[in-house]
Amino acid sequence: MLQLEARPAPSKAMSLLSPVLALAITMLIGIAMFVLLGKDPVRALQIFFVEPLKNGYALSELALKATPLLLIALGLAVCFRSNVWNIGAEGQFIVGATAAGGMAMLAGPDTGGWMVVPVLLAGVAGGMAWAGIVAFLRDKANANEILVSLMLVYVATLLLGYFVYGPWKDPAGYNFPQTVRFAAGTQVPRLFTGLRVNIGSLLALVSVGVLWVFLFRTYAGFQLQVGGLAPAAARYAGFSSRRALWVALLVSGGMAGLAGALDVAGPQGQLTPYVPAGYGFAAIIVAFVGRLHPVGMVFSAVLMSLFYIGGELAQTRMGLPKSLTGVFQGLLLFTLLACDTLIAYRLRWRTTPARAVGAA
């Protein structure tokens, strides 16, 4: 029978190349899917991986899509490195967007651009508050953070629906479930005229540097990582697992809330029931493909945004189903897990000894 046997010394080079290998396998499986669907695989791959890079406008849209993915993944990396499994970043994204939208609606036509700062801070506070519920229940009631954070995603969706279908619904919106358009003073400033990419991309890149310093150059980051890698050693050293839990979840929730605020105060410009875009779940893949390293997650966020934009283009130009984007995301994650498993283990065929069979 086939068994997994731990390798004595897993290859470091293959560990670094594992995401590239996983992407190659994903593309091969994708080619097979396109053939089965009766579509030209070369044309499909061109739409997925070339069209989103062909000009300045396409690159700006790519950066716009990659920004929330990167911000959420950075926060999730803090959790995962601390052995805290926050699966509900989507809910924190939604609550952050809702809080930012509520702050934005307080602005009037004459409000200046300074209002962007309170809007973004409201988003951060909303995400932190929603993640704080998970931390509180884990800390005080020993509740499983995976289940709690995941279930809170649905609560956040219902909370958003309550506002856009109820007290915040635009009275002049022809009964559509949406808020009024936010005032110009609340709009996140754009980097270039005629392009939608905004200062959120710069904030994401700054966050990459800040997180790298925090994780690898500060004592607090060292404590978090030791607690995740070796909980027993962390307790022996006197590191507080309770503090690590709260720090990890609050940082993760704040980053997801910031991503939500940038989304509604940027390209959306209002709250609608369609704020949930799946970024919180896709960012889990971004975090692991990027090896939970801030720089690696930059490249994986760009790759994931390629899947989003490429999937939309393939839907309109080739008639492919909308679910194809999710299929590619799932394939990338599972092939990465398979590659990582075979890097750490090898397959061995073991025969059952005749003596053992007789004894049985």
Side-chain angles (χ1 to χ4, degrees):
M1 60 181 295
L2 282 174
Q3 290 184 344
L4 287 174
E5 179 183 277
R7 296 182 186 272
S11 171
K12 293 183 179 180
M14 286 303 300
S15 179
L16 294 174
L17 292 174
S18 179
V20 179
L21 180 60
L23 176 60
I25 296 173
T26 300
M27 292 177 65
L28 290 175
I29 298 175
I31 290 174
M33 287 194 306
F34 293 138
V35 172
L36 291 175
L37 291 171
K39 305 295 183 180
D40 181 6
V42 176
R43 173 62 176 159
L45 290 179
Q46 180 186 5
I47 289 176
F48 261 89
F49 297 103
V50 178
E51 291 290 322
L53 304 172
K54 67 178 184 179
N55 54 42
Y57 179 79
L59 290 174
S60 73
E61 292 297 304
L62 190 70
L64 187 69
K65 189 74 73 173
T67 296
L69 292 170
L70 178 57
L71 285 170
I72 300 172
L74 291 172
L76 290 177
V78 176
C79 278
F80 297 156
R81 281 182 173 272
S82 308
N83 202 25
V84 177
W85 297 96
N86 177 19
I87 309 299
E90 180 76 359
Q92 295 141 32
F93 174 88
I94 295 169
V95 173
T98 304
M103 179 63 71
M105 285 190 293
L106 297 177
D110 299 327
T111 305
W114 59 268
M115 191 65 181
V116 173
V117 175
V119 168
L120 297 183
L121 290 178
V124 172
M128 292 178 71
W130 210 244
I133 298 174
V134 182
F136 178 81
L137 292 176
R138 168 66 188 274
D139 184 21
K140 300 300 183 181
N142 198 29
N144 187 295
E145 73 271 17
I146 297 176
L147 295 178
V148 174
S149 61
L150 184 59
M151 293 299 102
L152 282 175
V153 174
Y154 302 100
V155 180
T157 304
L158 293 173
L159 182 65
L160 171 66
Y162 165 75
F163 284 115
V164 298
Y165 282 93
W168 289 357
K169 186 165 72 171
D170 183 6
Y174 301 100
N175 206 33
F176 284 101
Q178 61 189 23
T179 64
V180 296
R181 298 290 300 179
F182 300 151
T186 66
Q187 297 293 308
V188 179
R190 297 185 180 185
L191 294 177
F192 306 101
T193 304
L195 301 178
R196 296 201 303 164
V197 63
N198 54 46
I199 61 170
S201 298
L202 297 181
L203 290 176
L205 293 177
V206 170
S207 299
V208 169
V210 171
L211 183 61
W212 183 86
V213 172
F214 173 74
L215 288 176
F216 305 117
R217 290 295 183 271
T218 65
Y219 186 62
F222 173 73
Q223 286 181 318
L224 286 175
Q225 295 188 78
V226 171
L229 293 172
R235 287 193 297 269
Y236 181 78
F239 298 163
S240 173
S241 59
R242 183 169 178 264
R243 180 183 176 186
L245 169 71
W246 278 94
V247 170
L249 280 170
L250 290 180
V251 169
S252 181
M255 297 296 283
L258 176 61
L262 287 169
D263 189 53
V264 297
Q268 302 295 335
Q270 64 182 156
L271 284 174
T272 70
Y274 308 106
V275 167
Y279 290 147
F281 297 116
I284 298 174
I285 305 175
V286 171
F288 281 107
V289 172
R291 290 298 192 230
L292 302 182
H293 192 283
V295 177
M297 286 184 284
V298 174
F299 297 101
S300 58
V302 172
L303 175 63
M304 194 61 63
S305 61
L306 276 175
F307 286 165
Y308 270 108
I309 297 176
E312 294 169 0
L313 293 174
Q315 182 184 358
T316 57
R317 298 186 183 182
M318 299 186 67
L320 290 170
K322 182 180 179 180
S323 58
L324 193 64
T325 300
V327 171
F328 267 99
Q329 292 174 357
L331 280 174
L332 182 61
L333 178 60
F334 282 112
T335 52
L336 178 66
L337 293 174
C339 291
D340 286 349
T341 300
L342 293 178
I343 288 170
Y345 298 87
R346 55 189 171 193
L347 289 172
R348 289 290 191 185
W349 178 264
R350 295 188 181 277
T351 57
T352 305
R355 186 183 305 171
V357 174

